[in-house]
Amino acid sequence: GDNTLYTMKVHASSAIATLTVPAGQLQGDPLLQLVIKVASSTHQLTVKTPAKGGTLHLEMLSGVKLSHRTSILRCLCGMGLHNALDGAPY
């Protein structure tokens, strides 16, 4: 079956961050899909995927808001994957 993440909506009451990513952008970004799938499996990330409009951003419970893809990926991945992301060709 079709397991693509861009059709998934995740809401968690225990979330410490909310990620908003336009559905079209998520559909074309397999690395972001993978990171979101892993991060949202702990129910600490709420993911919103508006079909139209919107911009990529991550908002922490503390109010801190990130809007750059790289900083969002690094924030969601934590220290363990920083070196792997630095060595990736994308």
Side-chain angles (χ1 to χ4, degrees):
D2 184 7
N3 292 349
T4 51
L5 181 65
Y6 60 87
T7 59
M8 176 189 283
K9 302 240 190 241
V10 179
H11 178 75
S13 58
S14 61
I16 58 172
T18 299
L19 176 70
T20 302
V21 55
Q25 183 175 358
L26 183 58
Q27 182 179 2
D29 193 337
L31 178 60
L32 188 58
Q33 290 178 29
L34 176 65
V35 169
I36 290 172
K37 184 172 184 176
V38 172
S40 65
S41 68
T42 62
H43 303 292
Q44 292 184 344
L45 178 68
T46 295
V47 180
K48 296 179 181 179
T49 53
K52 293 184 179 181
T55 59
L56 175 65
H57 65 274
L58 177 71
E59 188 167 357
M60 310 294 213
L61 191 59
S62 66
V64 173
K65 193 172 184 179
L66 303 174
S67 58
H68 295 278
R69 178 183 175 272
T70 303
S71 60
I72 291 169
L73 287 170
R74 289 180 178 279
C75 181
L76 293 175
C77 289
M79 292 302 293
L81 293 178
H82 281 200
N83 289 336
L85 287 174
D86 287 340
Y90 38 134

